[in-house]
Amino acid sequence: MPEPLTSEERLRYSRHLLIPEIGEAGQVKLKHASVLLVGSGALGSPAAMYLAAAGVGSLGLVDDDVVDVSNLQRQILHGESWVGKPKLDSAVARLKEVNPHVKVEAHPVRFTPENAMQIAAEYDLIVDGSDNFPTRFLTNDTAFFLKKPLVYGAIHRFEGQASVFAPHLGGPCYRCMLPSMPAPGSAPSCAEAGVLGVLPGIIGSLQAMEAIKLLLGTGSTPLGKLTVYEALQSSFRSLNLHRDPNCRLCGDQPEIASVTNSETTASTTCESTTISMQTITTLELRNILTDEFDGLLIDVRQPDEHAACNLPEAKLIPLSTLPAELDSLPKDQEIYVHCKAGGRSAKAVEFLMDHGFTQVTNIAGGMDAWLKEE
Ligand SMILES: [Zn+2]
């Protein structure tokens, strides 16, 4: 029998206890749950504060950074008096103030392939609040090997994304969406591109919500669903993501055997965001493929896959032959790329962007998503 709530806790969480999906049993679950937050910055701040306030019993935070005055516009865990001091000292003090019942474990180190598995093994799930690709690949790979859910979030200027990656529960991993490291320079850094301070508040709160749902076992987990929030359009969209059978981590013939690999050990000199390529859903593609369509749709699958089923508008250019076709492709036209599940087309879009194509769009979910809608 897990330790029940104290009378003080019953009072503190009374608004949770009123919700049938939580109740005393759910609140006790939260009390005995643990979450690791990688990063205590823009996304980690709201996520950690809401998880603490909600009564998640144990929170681990990994961060070796120091509070800078330029963080305060968005990293609401930290305040003026903490500038120049370690972020985790600030975070522990703030979270203790939010909820003294929560145990906060500080890991004042960088999250690296050497320590990731050991640190994360202690927790029920991982919330990714990192701001660079190698750490994102590392949290993904660590969660995969430990069979723990990864609550993903990313932000860029006015746009944010969130999802849950958990191949052991079904659905894709982060690498199914982004198969390899974007080329340096193809994704602007947070420092270069900027971010509106409220945005991580929204995305980090979505991450806290998904984490709490997972811990309670309540509602549906957005496996294979990427929530995209566009602040300027005031819109939330849901993109379908599919497990990529060619994924190097969770695919049918995986190549990656440990958290030490070329992505997780890459240098982080470029502090980049994940949102580097234009992506649309197959539903949006349907709206684009009208009689007036004057762009180019490319299918980068193999000829046998194309022969089995294809979109009549699509031109077949298998991924391996794309370099040879480069000179024949228009730079003044919109190019849309699809494959079976979205993995190979993402690679193709990256490749085209590296070669000076600016109007390139990836079709999330590929042919699989298209066929599901029919
Ligand atoms: Zn995968």
Side-chain angles (χ1 to χ4, degrees):
M1 240 324 253
E3 195 190 318
L5 300 180
T6 63
S7 53
E8 201 283 329
E9 287 172 322
R10 265 190 207 105
L11 187 63
R12 173 178 289 262
Y13 306 122
S14 57
R15 297 302 184 279
H16 277 171
L17 303 186
L18 290 169
I19 304 175
E21 287 81 356
I22 304 180
E24 175 125 4
Q27 195 64 50
V28 169
K29 269 191 206 169
L30 294 181
K31 179 176 177 171
H32 296 279
S34 61
V35 170
L36 179 68
L37 291 121
V38 178
S40 66
L43 294 168
S45 282
M49 285 165 79
Y50 274 117
L51 291 172
V56 173
S58 170
L59 291 179
L61 283 92
V62 194
D63 207 319
D64 70 341
D65 209 358
V66 167
V67 180
D68 184 88
V69 72
S70 70
N71 299 150
L72 303 182
Q73 154 262 20
R74 63 194 182 286
Q75 302 185 10
I76 57 169
L77 257 178
H78 316 296
E80 184 71 30
S81 60
W82 290 93
V83 171
K85 296 175 185 157
K87 280 189 181 171
L88 286 198
D89 290 354
S90 157
V92 169
R94 182 81 183 98
L95 295 174
K96 210 169 258 177
E97 180 67 21
V98 170
N99 189 345
H101 300 274
V102 170
K103 186 173 136 210
V104 182
E105 296 163 316
H107 302 277
V109 290
R110 268 199 93 75
F111 197 57
T112 65
E114 290 72 41
N115 62 25
M117 293 288 280
Q118 198 201 343
I119 292 175
E122 308 293 317
Y123 298 89
D124 295 328
L125 61 84
I126 306 174
V127 172
D128 183 1
S130 63
D131 61 358
N132 64 80
F133 286 113
T135 310
R136 280 181 203 290
F137 280 105
L138 179 59
T139 53
N140 179 65
D141 297 0
T142 304
F144 174 81
F145 286 116
L146 292 172
K147 294 191 166 56
K148 293 177 193 286
L150 170 66
V151 185
Y152 159 81
I155 47 170
H156 176 67
R157 286 191 176 162
F158 293 99
E159 189 185 315
Q161 304 180 337
S163 189
V164 173
F165 295 117
H168 65 290
L169 302 176
C173 80
Y174 175 67
R175 286 177 183 270
C176 295
M177 177 174 80
L178 193 73
S180 57
M181 188 83 69
S186 69
S189 76
C190 211
E192 283 166 26
V195 60
L196 198 139
V198 187
L199 182 67
I202 294 163
I203 301 300
S205 300
L206 283 179
Q207 290 178 279
M209 179 63 92
E210 293 306 337
I212 287 171
K213 282 167 56 195
L214 277 161
L215 297 173
L216 290 171
T218 289
S220 63
T221 304
L223 301 173
K225 260 194 202 165
L226 182 73
T227 299
V228 178
Y229 171 60
E230 288 179 64
L232 290 180
Q233 281 78 38
S234 311
S235 81
F236 278 95
R237 295 185 297 151
S238 184
L239 305 187
N240 290 323
L241 302 173
H242 293 267
R243 181 180 157 267
D244 180 359
N246 297 311
C247 177
R248 287 161 57 227
L249 183 68
C250 77
D252 298 337
Q253 273 140 8
E255 292 162 25
I256 295 169
S258 84
V259 296
T260 304
N261 55 65
S262 57
E263 282 78 24
T264 59
T265 55
S267 88
T268 55
T269 46
C270 167
E271 224 193 51
S272 31
T273 69
T274 40
I275 300 160
S276 57
M277 66 177 72
Q278 172 93 5
T279 302
I280 60 169
T281 64
T282 47
L283 273 176
E284 288 167 297
L285 180 65
R286 275 174 209 276
N287 294 329
I288 291 169
L289 291 179
T290 60
D291 293 343
E292 281 103 70
F293 178 66
D294 62 351
L296 174 64
L297 177 64
I298 301 176
D299 178 354
V300 292
R301 296 176 301 162
Q302 291 301 308
D304 55 332
E305 296 174 277
H306 178 84
C309 132
N310 61 64
L311 304 178
E313 298 87 350
K315 178 178 176 172
L316 175 67
I317 305 178
L319 184 59
S320 56
T321 67
L322 193 58
E325 297 280 346
L326 214 50
D327 291 340
S328 69
L329 299 176
K331 284 199 170 161
D332 56 350
Q333 233 178 333
E334 286 285 350
I335 298 179
Y336 300 86
V337 188
H338 87 82
C339 62
K340 181 175 187 293
R344 279 173 285 172
S345 58
K347 278 187 194 166
V349 167
E350 260 175 55
F351 177 80
L352 291 171
M353 285 168 67
D354 286 349
H355 288 82
F357 290 82
T358 52
Q359 305 177 66
V360 211
T361 301
N362 185 33
I363 313 297
M367 209 63 198
D368 286 350
W370 179 279
L371 293 172
K372 262 193 192 163
E373 285 154 8
E374 289 188 336

